[in-house]
């Protein structure tokens, strides 16, 4: 898939991301697909909408993930009859795969109003920015100041620089082919806690424009500890026990393989291990099985 990627310095949003609890059900759970703003059927009379400017199709662009928040901005645009008719400004989390920013905001977990003092929730402000783009038909119509904010759109106080720049990059790159999966966040987990290490395996996956864009292979113990973080904090002790790397370092390579192969699993042996991923000696078979289960709702 042809993707436009732009390296941005994302403006720091006032909202803070509240942590999402673990789903305790074994069945796959999917979030709703990202919302999008659609152009009204009637012509608004704006001169910009009178002239076809773009090739019909779907346009997709992303920005570099924000180092502080873990959100990676993406923009999806639909062009019909030469005009932008749908716009989706959103973000997926590279640290908490399965989270999509609009859904987190809609669920009241982003806290832009309650915790950040915003005039409206993030998804509500994003919808106004999307509608403005559809009306003007040009991202450049959204003037941005040095802080990445705009006075051009009433009711929008959040930073919009990433929206503008990513939309411009998507349009410049041209239409792309969507992948075979249904957009959203998906989850699956093991049936029980492991008798040896005390963790129950968990998998979370984000799908955008039909493709896997983020994955988290982890686990949770009875105390609620996240396995990846537990390992990163030096508590899992794989290297101390003679391993060549820590558990979170090896599982990250399995996640990357899963993303790069759009949900495909490598060949594993009877012990759940694989020679297909360099530097991975741990059992990864269960994670790929759970990931397949999670994505059943995306097919």
């Amino acid at each position: 898939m042809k993707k436009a990627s732009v390296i941005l310095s994302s403006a720091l949003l006032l909202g803070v991301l509240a942590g999402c609890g673990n789903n305790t059900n074994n069945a796959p759970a999917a979030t709703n697909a990202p919302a999008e703003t659609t152009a009204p059927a009637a012509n608004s009379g704006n001169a910009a909408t009178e002239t076809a400017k773009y090739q019909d199709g779907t346009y997709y662009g992303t920005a570099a993930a924000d180092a502080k928040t873990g959100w990676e901005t993406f923009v999806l645009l639909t062009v019909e009859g030469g005009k932008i008719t749908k716009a989706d400004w959103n973000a997926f989390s590279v640290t908490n795969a399965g989270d999509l920013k609009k859904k987190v905001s809609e669920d009241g977990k982003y806290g832009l109003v309650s915790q950040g003092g915003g005039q409206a929730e993030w998804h509500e402000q994003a919808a106004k920015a999307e509608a403005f783009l559809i009306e003007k038909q040009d991202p450049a119509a959204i003037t941005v100041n040095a802080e990445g904010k705009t006075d051009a759109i009433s009711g929008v106080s959040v930073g919009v620089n990433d929206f503008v720049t990513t939309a411009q990059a998507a349009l410049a790159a041209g239409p792309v082919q969507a992948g075979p999966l249904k957009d959203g966040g998906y989850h699956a987990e093991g049936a029980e806690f492991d008798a040896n290490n005390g963790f129950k395996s968990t998998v979370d996956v984000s799908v955008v424009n039909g493709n896997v864009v983020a994955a988290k292979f982890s686990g949770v113990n009875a105390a609620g500890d996240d396995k990846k973080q537990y390992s990163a904090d030096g508590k899992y002790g794989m290297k101390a026990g003679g391993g060549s790397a820590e558990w979170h370092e090896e599982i990250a390579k399995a996640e990357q393989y899963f993303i790069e192969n759009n949900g495909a699993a490598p060949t594993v042996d009877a012990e759940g291990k694989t020679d297909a991923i360099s530097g991975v000696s741990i059992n990864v078979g269960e994670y790929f099985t759970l990931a397949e289960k999670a994505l059943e709702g995306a097919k």
Side-chain angles (χ1 to χ4, degrees):
M1 178 191 72
K2 182 178 181 184
K3 295 172 62 179
S5 180
V6 181
I7 299 178
L8 305 172
S9 294
S10 299
L12 179 60
L13 300 179
L14 295 175
V16 292
L17 175 63
C20 297
N22 286 298
N23 188 328
T24 57
N25 295 321
N26 292 330
T31 67
N32 293 333
E36 61 186 17
T37 300
T38 305
N43 194 312
S44 66
N46 186 288
T49 64
E50 299 295 337
T51 305
K53 297 180 63 174
Y54 309 108
Q55 180 182 348
D56 285 6
T58 298
Y59 295 73
Y60 174 59
T62 65
D66 186 278
K68 293 182 179 180
T69 66
W71 289 116
E72 182 165 333
T73 293
F74 69 86
V75 172
L76 272 168
L77 304 173
T78 300
V79 173
E80 300 170 301
K83 303 171 188 177
I84 300 171
T85 58
K86 297 178 183 177
D88 180 19
W89 173 26
N90 209 334
F92 57 86
S93 175
V94 297
T95 54
N96 290 298
D99 284 350
L100 295 174
K101 196 171 184 178
K102 277 185 178 176
K103 187 66 167 60
V104 171
S105 179
E106 290 166 357
D107 289 345
K109 298 177 180 179
Y110 193 72
L112 187 58
V113 174
S114 63
Q115 300 180 53
Q119 59 183 315
E121 297 295 354
W122 190 87
H123 67 282
E124 296 171 324
Q125 296 196 43
K128 292 181 178 181
E130 295 164 347
F132 187 87
L133 173 59
I134 291 171
E135 177 189 354
K136 300 300 183 181
Q137 293 291 303
D138 187 355
I142 306 174
T143 55
V144 178
N145 63 23
E147 296 179 338
K149 299 185 178 184
T150 185
D151 293 325
I153 311 172
S154 177
V156 175
S157 60
V158 297
V160 296
N161 186 61
D162 55 351
F163 174 51
V164 173
T165 316
T166 305
Q168 288 174 323
L171 290 169
V176 298
Q177 182 66 42
L181 302 172
K182 180 182 176 182
D183 287 7
Y186 302 91
H187 173 86
E189 60 186 60
E192 56 189 22
F193 296 102
D194 187 280
N196 295 318
N197 59 44
F199 283 92
K200 177 167 58 175
S201 298
T202 62
V203 166
D204 292 276
V205 182
S206 298
V207 175
V208 175
N209 197 34
N211 296 290
V212 174
V213 293
K216 182 178 180 181
F217 295 174
S218 190
V220 62
N221 62 15
D225 295 315
D226 178 82
K227 189 175 183 180
K228 285 186 75 176
Q229 189 60 51
Y230 194 82
S231 174
D233 291 341
K235 298 177 180 179
Y236 198 71
M238 219 167 77
K239 285 185 74 173
S244 59
E246 296 293 358
W247 188 87
H248 68 281
E249 296 172 323
E250 292 202 17
I251 203 65
K253 295 180 180 180
E255 294 168 342
Q256 190 60 34
Y257 180 96
F258 183 75
I259 295 169
E260 291 176 352
N261 290 277
N262 204 29
T267 300
V268 297
D269 61 21
E271 296 180 340
K273 298 184 178 182
T274 183
D275 293 325
I277 310 173
S278 178
V280 175
S281 61
I282 59 176
N283 181 335
V284 295
E286 181 184 11
Y287 287 97
F288 284 100
T289 299
L290 285 174
E292 182 180 4
K293 182 178 180 182
L295 286 179
E296 287 176 358
K299 297 177 180 178

